[in-house]
Amino acid sequence: MKSNFKNFVGGMIAGIVLCVSFGVISEAVGADLNTSLPFTPQQLAIIKQVKLALSAYHVDGDKKGKIDDNKMYHGAVKGLVSSLKDPYTRYSDPKDLKEEKVEMEGEYGGLGIYIASKEGRTTIIAPIEDTPADRAGIKPLDEIIKVDDKNVWGMESDEIVKLLRGPAGKPVTLQIRRKNVNKLIPVKIVREIIKIKTVRMEMLPDKLAYIKLNHFNMKSDAELAAAIAKAQKNNAKGIIMDLRNNPGGLLDVCVDVTSRFIPKGVVVGMRGRFEKANDTLYAKEGRANKLPLAVLVNEGSASASEIFAGAIKDYKRGKVIGMKTFGKGSVQSLFNLPDGSGIYVTIARYHTPSGFVLDHKGLTPDIKVAGEPKKNHKDDKQLQRAISVLKYEIKTKAKPKTKTTKK
């Protein structure tokens, strides 16, 4: 079995990726069959009896496609994985895994949201900027109760994702539960092909560069490098990095992005049960800029966003402003199975350079400011606070130092 060591630190598909080779599972399969099988002969016999009973006696068992060996097999593996009650340890069949890999490359069909199971509920981590979900008013921490007429309470996240996806142009209605709202909110959204542009940059007054980072995918570092270069060409005096509603992404990309601001040192550490799950990743030297920095975060900032903001905060490279982050701090590894399917296994939890473990806690910003992203910058309280903080820092640094002389 081939295994890719993929550290996923977002919700559904928002992941962090490193590639390492593991031989543990394949070696176990090659050992003595009787000693390597995870079940007793009696348990395996019972599984076979269950299948035979369903095939022979189920009232609809004679209908075409009802008794499907492949579906039973995938269902059995999924049940095995879900028994751990870890929402981030999950099984993906060949079709779904292929779609997920396309999504990580930056384009897929759907609504433009990332979801995760949080405290037993299907929670929206964040809508992606300028997607159908974003335009429909979906917010971080909204809970999905129904998809069309189907109640999804208690369903696994990957099953809900299948319901959310569909042909472009076809509408779907979500019943949303929102904090401090007494009744469910119906939200009708028309599906689109989602093309994720991860970085958007614009120059604000007073020569401040505003950079919105939507996701950490394969294009992000190159797009960010171009954005910073453009900002410097425009004589930017400071940078505001907006990670609000950024659900995470690829770990190697997160390290690359963080290296644009931190010249050296630890970016993130991981702690797990076995040697290769314990790792420390360092900033790549020679990439960092020295422009004053402010980072915006909120409840929709998860995983890779939390790693980035945590490193900035620990090194005092800039001020982190906004609300406490989502708190998704576990690391998933993707094990590719021979039939094209795969299992995402939680192998470790990550921590910031200071050793703070974010999982289920979230990162507390340096400056707490309530609010949410607004199309009109003047109405965006968090952004306006970041602008004022950055302007003050720039002004303070620009003041000439006065020398004192002893008399």
Side-chain angles (χ1 to χ4, degrees), residues 332-360:
Q332 280 69 47
S333 173
L334 171 60
F335 291 87
N336 289 302
L337 301 172
D339 65 347
S341 63
I343 52 173
Y344 296 89
V345 182
T346 299
I347 60 168
R349 288 185 173 86
Y350 64 79
H351 57 85
T352 69
S354 67
F356 179 67
V357 178
L358 290 158
D359 204 30
H360 301 297

Side-chain angles (χ1 to χ4, degrees), residues 291-337:
L291 289 170
L293 175 68
V295 180
L296 289 171
V297 296
N298 68 356
E299 304 91 334
S301 305
S303 296
S305 295
E306 294 172 291
I307 289 175
F308 176 90
I312 297 298
K313 183 178 180 180
D314 282 358
Y315 286 111
K316 302 186 186 302
R317 172 63 179 84
K319 292 292 185 183
V320 179
I321 300 164
M323 298 297 288
K324 182 181 284 189
T325 59
F326 189 83
K328 199 282 181 183
S330 59
V331 178
Q332 280 69 47
S333 173
L334 171 60
F335 291 87
N336 289 302
L337 301 172

Side-chain angles (χ1 to χ4, degrees), residues 167-237:
K170 186 176 181 180
V172 61
T173 299
L174 308 184
Q175 295 290 336
I176 295 294
R177 177 177 290 146
R178 183 169 293 164
K179 187 177 180 180
N180 298 326
V181 177
N182 294 328
K183 61 181 181 180
L184 295 181
I185 303 171
V187 183
K188 185 176 181 179
I189 309 175
V190 179
R191 297 178 177 94
E192 293 179 6
I193 297 298
I194 307 299
K195 295 183 178 181
I196 305 174
K197 182 170 176 59
T198 60
V199 176
R200 175 170 61 84
M201 194 282 282
E202 63 179 290
M203 292 300 298
L204 302 179
D206 301 301
K207 294 191 179 297
L208 299 181
Y210 170 81
I211 300 177
K212 181 73 171 75
L213 181 62
N214 293 309
H215 190 237
F216 292 81
N217 71 12
M218 296 176 188
K219 302 176 183 177
S220 302
D221 182 52
E223 289 183 5
L224 177 62
I228 293 173
K230 185 177 179 181
Q232 292 172 326
K233 188 176 181 179
N234 283 282
N235 300 315
K237 294 182 178 180

Side-chain angles (χ1 to χ4, degrees), residues 28-270:
V29 172
D32 179 73
L33 188 62
N34 290 328
T35 58
S36 65
L37 286 173
F39 304 108
T40 67
Q42 183 184 34
Q43 288 171 329
L44 291 172
I46 290 172
I47 292 172
K48 185 175 181 179
Q49 287 176 359
V50 170
K51 180 187 179 301
L52 290 173
L54 293 172
S55 300
Y57 299 110
H58 191 275
V59 65
D60 295 323
D62 58 341
K63 293 182 179 178
K64 186 178 180 180
K66 189 67 176 182
I67 303 299
D68 186 305
D69 287 353
N70 279 329
K71 287 182 179 178
M72 285 187 171
Y73 157 71
H74 290 305
V77 178
K78 176 176 271 189
L80 193 69
V81 174
S82 65
S83 69
L84 295 179
K85 303 297 182 184
D86 174 4
Y88 301 112
T89 293
R90 59 187 179 84
Y91 172 74
S92 189
D93 65 34
K95 181 181 177 183
D96 290 340
L97 187 60
K98 185 177 180 180
E99 289 178 358
E100 291 176 13
K101 288 179 177 178
V102 169
E103 181 175 341
M104 288 310 300
E105 291 171 0
E107 183 175 326
Y108 65 98
L111 307 180
I113 56 175
Y114 289 99
I115 66 173
S117 177
K118 188 170 185 178
E119 298 175 354
R121 300 185 294 270
T122 300
T123 304
I124 293 172
I125 299 176
I128 301 170
E129 186 180 40
D130 197 28
T131 61
D134 182 38
R135 294 192 292 270
I138 294 293
K139 297 182 179 182
L141 303 187
D142 281 350
E143 296 174 25
I144 300 176
I145 306 301
K146 283 187 175 182
V147 177
D148 288 327
D149 294 326
K150 189 174 184 64
N151 193 322
V152 298
W153 181 263
M155 288 179 62
E156 295 181 17
S157 296
D158 57 338
E159 291 296 325
I160 297 173
V161 168
K162 290 179 183 178
L163 296 175
L164 297 176
R165 287 178 177 163
K170 186 176 181 180
V172 61
T173 299
L174 308 184
Q175 295 290 336
I176 295 294
R177 177 177 290 146
R178 183 169 293 164
K179 187 177 180 180
N180 298 326
V181 177
N182 294 328
K183 61 181 181 180
L184 295 181
I185 303 171
V187 183
K188 185 176 181 179
I189 309 175
V190 179
R191 297 178 177 94
E192 293 179 6
I193 297 298
I194 307 299
K195 295 183 178 181
I196 305 174
K197 182 170 176 59
T198 60
V199 176
R200 175 170 61 84
M201 194 282 282
E202 63 179 290
M203 292 300 298
L204 302 179
D206 301 301
K207 294 191 179 297
L208 299 181
Y210 170 81
I211 300 177
K212 181 73 171 75
L213 181 62
N214 293 309
H215 190 237
F216 292 81
N217 71 12
M218 296 176 188
K219 302 176 183 177
S220 302
D221 182 52
E223 289 183 5
L224 177 62
I228 293 173
K230 185 177 179 181
Q232 292 172 326
K233 188 176 181 179
N234 283 282
N235 300 315
K237 294 182 178 180
I239 294 176
I240 297 172
M241 282 289 292
D242 190 349
L243 299 182
R244 292 175 297 178
N245 298 347
N246 182 322
L250 308 175
L251 182 54
D252 53 352
V253 175
C254 180
V255 172
D256 288 342
V257 166
T258 307
S259 301
R260 299 287 174 189
F261 298 93
I262 294 175
K264 61 181 179 180
V266 174
V267 172
V268 63
M270 294 175 287

